[in-house]
Every structure is written in structure tokens, then in C-alpha cells.
Amino acid sequence: MDQMRPIDELRYLVLAAQREGNRMLADGLQSLGLTPSQAEALRVLEDWEPLALVEMGALLVCEQGSPSRLVAGLIAAGYVERTPSTDDKRKITLTLTPAGRDVAARAHAAEDALLSLMRMAINDDEVQMMLPILRRVVAGRPAGDALSRRLGRLPLPSREDG
């Protein structure tokens, strides 16, 4: 058996950490009937609404391209509302409904539980050391760009784009 190179181990450790974190978050969201992707979409809307669909897609780390199917499920559940834009009646904007605000607030508890587990494994100094490394790994990639937009480091696409 060949020895695994350290860079391979790092790749698999990042993948394993992401999958385990996603599983733990999914378990915490199960009672709300939400997936981690739906919880992220609600968080993005909570922080940025109103948003056009293309804007939402540009802010989501969980989803590449158009989040149409993800948003359709949230609309069907009564958590998101589609309304004509005040600027351009041909455009649709997305906002949270009162039920969406409530479930988003409850999803924060599941996220906080995951973050508490992470804090037990990684101290603040270690987090600060890891952030620049991971930023370099995802720089210029779609998920990295989405996170950079949410952090205000990259501009959001204009509403005219979609």
C-alpha cells in the first residue's frame, strides 16, 4: 500500500470535515424539516433581502448556478415570497415570509450547536491561522466567490443580470 501524501490527506480531511459538519447540521435541522442548503438560503435572505434570484445564487455557497429548485421548495413551504420588483415589474424579488423569519431564527439554534462543537475542537487562534489558508484554496472559485460576496469583499451582480 502506498503512503498517502500530506496534500492528499489534507484534501480528504477537508472533505471529511465538511461532510461530518453537514451531517451534524442536517441532524439539527431535521425537526424543522429543513436541509442545510435550505437553511443557508434562508440565512442569505434574512441578511440580504430583498434579492433577485441571480443575486441569491451569487451569495450561496451550497449551490452553484441558479437556485431555482431550492427557492421553489422554500416558496412551497411558505417561507419565501416572490414579489414583483419595485424597480422593474418584469423582475421578481425574494423575501422571507413571517413563517420564514420564524424558521430561520430556529435554524440558527442548529447552526449554533454545530459551531459550539467546532469551538470545542478548534480554538480561536487556530481558526485565525486556518482562515487565510482556506481563503487561498477557494479564491476565484464559485463557492469562494459566493462567500467573498457575503463578506462584502466582492460586489453582488446587478439585478439587471437576472
Side-chain angles (χ1 to χ4, degrees):
M1 173 169 83
D2 287 335
Q3 181 101 15
M4 186 178 285
R5 297 173 300 177
I7 195 73
D8 289 321
E9 182 180 6
L10 176 63
R11 174 181 168 245
Y12 285 112
L13 284 170
V14 168
L15 178 61
Q18 186 277 330
R19 288 202 174 157
E20 292 304 322
N22 214 41
R23 281 186 191 115
M24 288 186 272
L25 182 57
D27 289 346
L29 293 169
Q30 188 174 7
S31 67
L32 301 175
L34 293 176
T35 66
S37 295
Q38 289 172 322
E40 183 186 355
L42 291 172
R43 170 62 66 96
V44 165
L45 272 175
E46 186 177 42
D47 292 344
W48 290 77
E49 71 181 340
L51 286 173
L53 191 62
V54 69
E55 293 171 319
M56 175 176 251
L59 293 167
L60 290 173
V61 175
C62 68
E63 183 114 358
Q64 301 304 305
S66 175
S68 299
R69 196 173 4 199
L70 178 62
V71 169
L74 293 170
I75 291 169
Y79 299 144
V80 173
E81 181 175 57
R82 292 171 41 111
T83 56
S85 168
T86 55
D87 302 337
D88 182 345
K89 297 297 181 200
R90 296 170 298 167
K91 303 284 182 194
I92 299 297
T93 58
L94 305 170
T95 56
L96 291 176
T97 65
R101 287 186 203 298
D102 178 60
V103 78
R106 293 189 294 150
H108 289 292
E111 293 169 349
D112 289 344
L114 174 61
L115 295 177
S116 291
L117 289 172
M118 290 175 67
R119 283 187 188 100
M120 288 191 299
I122 309 167
N123 68 43
D124 289 342
D125 290 338
E126 292 168 323
V127 169
Q128 291 305 316
M129 287 184 335
M130 292 168 49
L131 287 175
I133 297 165
L134 293 173
R135 284 182 192 128
R136 283 196 316 264
V137 170
V138 300
R141 306 296 307 158
D145 287 351
L147 183 57
S148 290
R149 286 185 196 96
R150 284 169 61 178
L151 295 169
R153 295 180 183 142
L154 283 178
L156 200 56
S158 70
R159 289 182 190 269
E160 289 76 45
D161 294 338

